[in-house]
Amino acid sequence: DTAVSQTPKYLVTQMGNDKSIKCEQNLGHDTMYWYKQDSKKFLKIMFSYNNKELIINETVPNRFSPKSPDKAHLNLHINSLELGDSAVYFCASSTNTGELFFGEGSRLTVL
Amino acid sequence: AQSVTQLGSHVSVSEGALVLLRCNYSSSVPPYLFWYVQYPNQGLQLLLKYTSAATLVKGINGFEAEFKKSETSFHLTKPSAHMSDAAEYFCAVKRGGSEKLVFGKGMKLTVNP
């Protein structure tokens, strides 16, 4: 059983399009995250939700909108995609001690 | 604010040699510290964590790290490298009570036969 699963694994799209990435965790964790990893492998936190409430919102463009329908799901919608949005997006969930469990990533390529 | 510094971007060792990956942290309060490993085309996986218990922390795959407050360091070591250790390694820091985990820029480990 996959602990943190993201779909799709790969996305290729044109500039200006809108796309969504879905994430689900079956670990029973209360906190979930979205991280962005750029081409140099740098990992930057974007958002975090605790029990469906937004608790971390880094300086991310408004085109990025997370949604948490319940504590096991955290989806990411991106409007008006730009070239600079190309990256690998990782979903994660965490225990009380801060240990993060990551999904396998969704590689977004904007042409 | 918490941060970690991983100097350099690439370490290359021979199979069987000592692995040493350096990490220095900056935190105004006692931190929680972590090492994660990322194999190609995969997500990150926890190697080990320090949460203010023992200063020498043992992790998976023979890795360990020592928390040294006087040096603000949390270096990762393994006595004998294996080919399967080739991956990207990330140090990370979290302040107690905060949900935010901040990662270093990562270090690529290459193991030569």
Side-chain angles (χ1 to χ4, degrees), chain A residues 25-97:
Chain A
Q25 55 99 1
N26 62 7
L27 298 166
H29 294 159
D30 287 339
T31 307
M32 295 185 71
Y33 306 77
W34 278 109
Y35 277 83
K36 178 181 180 181
Q37 186 173 47
D38 63 23
S39 58
K40 294 183 179 176
K41 302 288 189 183
F42 183 65
L43 272 161
K44 189 172 184 338
I45 189 168
M46 299 173 69
F47 302 103
S48 177
Y49 272 72
N50 182 274
N51 223 346
K52 301 193 297 176
E53 275 195 44
L54 181 66
I55 56 171
I56 295 174
N57 186 351
E58 293 292 292
T59 48
V60 177
N62 290 340
R63 299 182 293 103
F64 290 79
S65 51
K67 279 195 171 54
S68 182
D70 55 62
K71 75 174 194 176
H73 295 84
L74 179 61
N75 304 323
L76 183 65
H77 187 76
I78 316 169
N79 289 326
S80 304
L81 278 157
E82 300 177 357
L83 292 176
D85 297 332
S86 295
V88 182
Y89 292 84
F90 285 100
C91 177
S93 67
S94 73
T95 65
N96 292 338
T97 54

Side-chain angles (χ1 to χ4, degrees), chain B residues 1 22 28 37 40 44 47 57 64 68 73 80 87 95 99 109:
Chain B
R22 297 178 187 273
S28 55
V37 60
L44 280 75
L47 272 178
V57 182
E64 62 181 39
K68 290 188 177 179
S73 70
S80 175
R95 188 187 68 197
E99 300 295 344
L109 175 67

Side-chain angles (χ1 to χ4, degrees), chain A residues 9 31 33 35 37 40-43 45 48 50 55-56 58 90 94 97-100 102-104 107, chain B residues 32 34 36 38 41-46 49 51 88 90 94 98-106:
Chain A
K9 195 165 181 179
T31 307
Y33 306 77
Y35 277 83
Q37 186 173 47
K40 294 183 179 176
K41 302 288 189 183
F42 183 65
L43 272 161
I45 189 168
S48 177
N50 182 274
I55 56 171
I56 295 174
E58 293 292 292
F90 285 100
S94 73
T97 54
E99 177 183 346
L100 263 61
F102 283 82
E104 294 204 341
R107 182 177 293 276
Chain B
Y32 291 171
F34 304 79
Y36 281 82
Q38 184 179 26
N41 299 314
Q42 292 188 27
L44 280 75
Q45 178 184 350
L46 182 72
K49 64 182 178 185
T51 55
E88 194 90 20
F90 294 88
K94 177 175 126 43
S98 166
E99 300 295 344
K100 188 173 173 180
L101 188 65
V102 177
F103 286 88
K105 62 183 177 66

Side-chain angles (χ1 to χ4, degrees), chain B residues 15-30:
Chain B
E15 195 174 16
L18 171 72
V19 175
L20 170 61
L21 302 179
R22 297 178 187 273
C23 174
N24 288 90
Y25 69 90
S26 169
S27 177
S28 55
V29 297

